[in-house]
Amino acid sequence: MQSFNPPVRTLMGPGPSDVHPRILSAMARPTIGHLDPEFIRMMDEVKAMLQYAFQTKNPMTMPVSAPGSAGMETCFANLVEPGDKVIVCINGVFGNRMRENVERCGGTCVEVKDDWGTAVSPEKVEAALVANPDAKIVAFVHAETSTGACSDVKTICEIAHKHNCLTIVDAVTSLGGVELKVDEWGVDSIYSGTQKCLSCVPGLSPVSFNEAALDKVRNRKTKVQSWFLDLNLVMGYWGQGAKRAYHHTAPVNTLYALHESLVMLKEEGLENAHARHRAMHNKLKVGLEEMGIKFLVDESVRLPQLNSVWIPEGVDDAAVRSELLTKYNLEIGSGLGDFAGKVWRIGTMGFSATEENILFCLAALKDVLGKK
Ligand SMILES: *Cc1c(COP(=O)(O)O)cnc(C)c1O
């Protein structure tokens, strides 16, 4: 056995995205105790910077010590009680996972379905709420990574509140890539990931809960089924002011990485980060369209950071992706579900969204496609 030395790739798939060297070197700093006063000072900075990233004042804003899927489970496990009716909007892979979560928490799922590649329809959400006046929660995905469609968080939250429902929003791919205003848009609970537009390493899931959501958690009739994800317990470690108590050993060095990525986000500024994602998307779009490659998602709801494009007629999906990887060390994503073999998903997330990468990706694709 020898040390593992990964190849140096350019990551332009659906995540993880390229990790900035500053973030990688932050991870290599000395491990200290997870209750060390210096570590706790860093945790407080992480919380404050996550509030900035989410545009929220929610005190309950922190990273769950596991990837985005654990943030998803944190929201559902804490907010859904057995018997609760939950409206789940499904327009791609991650909406389906939300339904799984509801069912495993003992909730009843009412599906609001939209075609893959389109946004969640607020009209259908409203109709489902009218038909199900006993619904307690509306759950939906802001940025569907399986297709590249962006849904209207503000409008859906307004409709949910009009019908006395709380909201659970998946912002794994949206955070840092497109506008997201948790407080202004009235989001009650939200989860994200570190390895998409924050360009950090995988393994953490930033979450945020407002007072209304926490009220529901505090007034549960049953205990949260998951000990690890129970917010009442997690807050003993991540909560402010009061003495921090051991809950689990935080992934110390991964949190250094998140801290560094958030310092970089603050340095760049949220609006500038969004504008960079948009500009790189536009550059990629022009190049792809020159090659005759077309987009799956309508421009009006298209995410700049996840570009789903139709694979040209007669082109072998797997052969192209394999050659991009072996010859150019370039990773792009394959299609999921009905789109397997039909679309590519080109990620321009975080540090992957640079002019250099866009030009490299276009040139590599042109070369590989030229021979097919
Ligand atoms: C990637 C992703 C997840 C899951 O995150 P993991 O870190 O892979 O667990 C959830 N939702 C969306 C929209 C995603 O893109």
Side-chain angles (χ1 to χ4, degrees), residues 14 67-70 72 94 97 141 143-145 170 172-173 191 195-196:
S69 306
M72 183 187 276
F94 294 99
R97 287 201 187 169
V141 180
E144 236 317 332
T145 322
D170 179 319
V172 176
T173 285
Y191 59 91
Q195 78 277 25
K196 310 233 173 159

Side-chain angles (χ1 to χ4, degrees), residues 47-206:
K47 284 169 59 176
M49 289 189 287
L50 282 178
Q51 286 175 328
Y52 167 72
F54 276 128
Q55 295 285 284
T56 181
K57 294 197 165 65
N58 290 339
M60 177 62 116
T61 301
M62 48 134 204
V64 173
S65 299
S69 306
M72 183 187 276
E73 297 236 14
T74 300
C75 290
F76 287 92
N78 282 275
L79 289 174
V80 179
E81 279 201 88
D84 280 355
K85 194 180 257 191
V86 182
I87 309 281
V88 178
C89 306
I90 302 179
N91 63 336
V93 165
F94 294 99
N96 275 321
R97 287 201 187 169
M98 287 180 147
R99 182 194 56 218
E100 275 288 321
N101 269 269
V102 170
E103 288 168 354
R104 285 166 195 239
C105 292
T108 309
C109 178
V110 176
E111 292 182 18
V112 171
K113 288 197 171 186
D114 279 288
D115 288 342
W116 283 40
T118 66
V120 171
S121 149
E123 294 74 27
K124 286 189 193 168
V125 173
E126 176 114 57
L129 284 163
V130 169
N132 296 276
D134 53 340
K136 301 243 169 72
I137 295 170
V138 174
F140 63 97
V141 180
H142 182 196
E144 236 317 332
T145 322
S146 60
T147 65
C150 186
S151 290
D152 183 348
V153 176
K154 184 167 180 264
T155 302
I156 300 170
C157 285
E158 269 168 21
I159 294 169
H161 291 156
K162 206 169 77 188
H163 294 268
N164 297 315
C165 281
L166 292 172
T167 48
I168 297 178
V169 179
D170 179 319
V172 176
T173 285
S174 57
L175 186 70
V178 286
E179 187 176 54
L180 171 61
K181 297 185 166 175
V182 166
D183 287 358
E184 200 181 309
W185 294 352
V187 174
D188 298 295
S189 70
I190 192 161
Y191 59 91
S192 188
T194 44
Q195 78 277 25
K196 310 233 173 159
C197 292
L198 294 181
S199 254
C200 184
V201 291
L204 293 171
S205 178

